[in-house]
Amino acid sequence: MVRISNFSMELVLADDKTQKFPEHTGPMSDPVHYFEVEPDVEYFIKIRADTSFNSYVILHVDGEDLGYYPILSAATGQDCSSQYNGIFEISGGIQTMKALRFQRTKVRGSVANGKSGVINSPAMWTGQIKATFSEAIPFGLKARNMEFKSQWNPRGKVGATIGVDSLAQKKGVMSSEGNSVVLERTIMKGEVAQYYMKGRTLCTISAKYCCTPGLIANGILPRYTGPRDDYTHVSIDEDEVRVKRRKKEQVPRDCVDLTEE
């Protein structure tokens, strides 16, 4: 997970929420946190707060607001408040939380023709997930909505994050809507709930995501040039990247604390 003070964010598999995506931190010149992901895999964004008050959270995926604002309750005893977030909808009083999905980006122009050096509207991206935590200010009870549909646009606004000459060397992914459902409940007609507005901003956690070749292209993972029996070929456009197989004992860190001293 990526943690700042009492707040944290991580990406987990939709079909097994105990499984987290591997995490990496960039060099001092680019101290950004990266999630290592794969295409065609569904996920949820897990957010967590260990505070004595309720927290109001704004989530952005690929530069787009998800369109709803989770409220994390104050921690009680040893229990911290956490939620799994994706695409939130209410239809006919049925409330659901669907997973997000890592989707391959479409390849156009010279990349599609097997050439490097793309300069036209690149579609091969490193995605971005951002969570902004604020104080939640209650402003009264209100009847629950019976209909809601997020206007989140899966095309996103986050563009390529590496040089044009290296763009063809990325295995691009972006986020789209998945199928898995983590929450489903029926809202009773006339049911009321406490509503909140955004108060003072407390912190923002931001991280990028991309596949293994993208991490190599971004300089997060090294190119491996060791013995042939110890690497896996990954074909990226005209180049061949050697990705060293992880040994079983090389387990990704569970938490990267970004809290400033």
Side-chain angles (χ1 to χ4, degrees):
M1 69 178 75
V2 188
R3 184 176 66 206
I4 296 180
S5 186
N6 296 323
F7 305 96
S8 65
M9 177 183 76
E10 59 190 329
L11 303 186
V12 298
L13 289 172
D15 57 359
D16 183 357
K17 291 183 287 299
T18 64
Q19 297 296 314
K20 310 169 187 178
F21 288 89
E23 302 168 10
H24 307 270
T25 302
M28 292 301 295
S29 59
D30 181 28
V32 177
H33 196 72
Y34 287 81
F35 292 103
E36 184 177 352
V37 305
E38 286 297 326
D40 306 318
V41 176
E42 297 190 0
Y43 72 98
F44 287 104
I45 306 169
K46 182 181 180 181
I47 52 175
R48 182 180 174 97
D50 182 9
T51 60
S52 59
F53 50 84
N54 293 344
S55 303
Y56 183 107
V57 188
I58 301 174
L59 293 168
H60 286 82
V61 176
D62 292 345
E64 292 277 356
D65 187 335
L66 284 182
Y68 65 96
Y69 309 105
I71 302 298
L72 296 177
S73 303
T76 57
Q78 298 299 315
D79 296 327
C80 300
S81 180
S82 62
Q83 283 188 19
Y84 298 96
N85 296 274
I87 305 297
F88 180 68
E89 292 186 359
I90 305 174
S91 179
I94 305 298
Q95 177 178 305
T96 59
M97 183 72 76
K98 296 179 69 176
L100 291 153
R101 178 175 177 268
F102 293 119
Q103 173 185 317
R104 293 180 186 274
T105 51
K106 294 181 179 179
V107 179
R108 300 196 297 267
S110 55
V111 169
N113 296 325
K115 299 178 181 178
S116 300
V118 182
I119 57 175
N120 63 320
S121 301
M124 301 182 76
W125 297 346
T126 294
Q128 184 183 63
I129 310 287
K130 183 172 73 171
T132 302
F133 298 83
S134 304
E135 293 177 334
I137 310 300
F139 67 86
L141 297 174
K142 181 181 174 182
R144 289 187 181 275
N145 294 324
M146 301 296 285
E147 300 289 335
F148 175 83
K149 185 172 179 62
S150 172
Q151 298 303 306
W152 177 70
N153 182 349
R155 289 178 297 178
K157 295 179 179 177
V158 177
T161 59
I162 59 174
V164 170
D165 291 340
S166 303
L167 190 60
Q169 298 174 3
K170 296 180 68 179
K171 181 180 178 184
V173 286
M174 59 184 287
S175 289
S176 61
E177 184 174 333
N179 297 306
S180 302
V181 175
V182 71
L183 169 70
E184 186 171 82
R185 67 180 293 266
T186 300
I187 300 173
M188 304 303 294
K189 189 173 183 180
E191 182 178 333
V192 298
Q194 176 70 62
Y195 278 72
Y196 296 84
M197 60 183 178
K198 178 181 176 294
R200 178 171 58 99
T201 299
L202 301 171
C203 81
T204 297
I205 297 177
S206 181
K208 296 179 181 179
Y209 66 82
C210 56
C211 296
T212 305
L215 290 169
I216 294 171
N218 277 295
I220 307 304
L221 294 180
R223 292 174 180 265
Y224 184 68
T225 57
R228 278 190 168 272
D229 60 356
D230 196 32
Y231 67 78
T232 301
H233 289 84
V234 179
S235 178
I236 308 174
D237 195 34
E238 298 165 342
D239 289 344
E240 175 189 274
V241 174
R242 297 177 180 181
V243 181
K244 186 174 182 179
R245 298 191 184 102
R246 287 193 182 86
K247 296 179 181 179
K248 291 183 179 179
E249 61 269 20
Q250 292 178 328
V251 179
R253 288 176 294 176
D254 289 335
C255 174
V256 175
D257 194 341
L258 301 182
T259 305
E260 296 182 358
E261 295 295 338

